[in-house]
Amino acid sequence: MDFLHTLLVFFHILGAAALVGGWLAAFKTPTVGTWQFIGAWVQLATGLALTVLAEMGTDPVNHAKIGVKLILLIAVLVAAIIGRKKMKKGEDVPKGIAHTVGGFSLVNVALAVFWS
């Protein structure tokens, strides 16, 4: 179980890196890149799996923290889906959509680090 937890945390961090890194890389010309889109799905899958593992353990789980992070991630995922659809159609991605993906992801990382 320890290896599975570590592996999930590894991929969870990679998903966050794809979201925030993609946002920072394209900050002057905001868009939603493919890796941001993939990162949002990776974050959701690994976050849910980590929550299941935590629930199976003996330590108490902070449901409020998980709930807030899930709501932010859903907003990120919806914005990433909208941004990718616009990119595939050849349309410009609105700055608000692109900054929602990156900004909310950054807030989510901050919550993970600072909310004990």
Side-chain angles (χ1 to χ4, degrees):
M1 282 302 229
D2 285 340
F3 177 74
L4 177 60
H5 180 266
T6 303
L7 187 65
L8 288 170
V9 169
F10 173 75
F11 282 108
H12 199 65
I13 291 170
L14 283 180
L19 285 164
V20 176
W23 176 55
L24 292 175
F27 198 82
K28 288 192 175 190
T29 56
T31 189
V32 177
T34 303
W35 284 106
Q36 288 178 292
F37 180 72
I38 292 169
W41 284 107
V42 168
Q43 284 271 284
L44 180 63
T46 57
L48 291 174
L50 286 165
T51 301
V52 168
L53 283 180
E55 289 287 350
M56 292 182 350
T58 57
D59 293 334
V61 177
N62 188 340
H63 291 103
K65 177 181 176 180
I66 291 169
V68 169
K69 287 178 58 58
L70 180 60
I71 289 168
L72 282 172
L73 181 58
I74 289 170
V76 168
L77 188 57
V78 168
I81 290 168
I82 292 169
R84 287 311 298 163
K85 284 186 178 182
K86 288 196 174 286
M87 289 289 294
K88 284 185 178 182
K89 290 180 182 176
E91 300 173 9
D92 289 336
V93 176
K95 288 182 182 181
I97 294 289
H99 288 311
T100 296
V101 172
F104 279 13
S105 297
L106 187 62
V107 170
N108 233 350
V109 170
L111 288 175
V113 172
F114 295 112
W115 190 348
S116 303

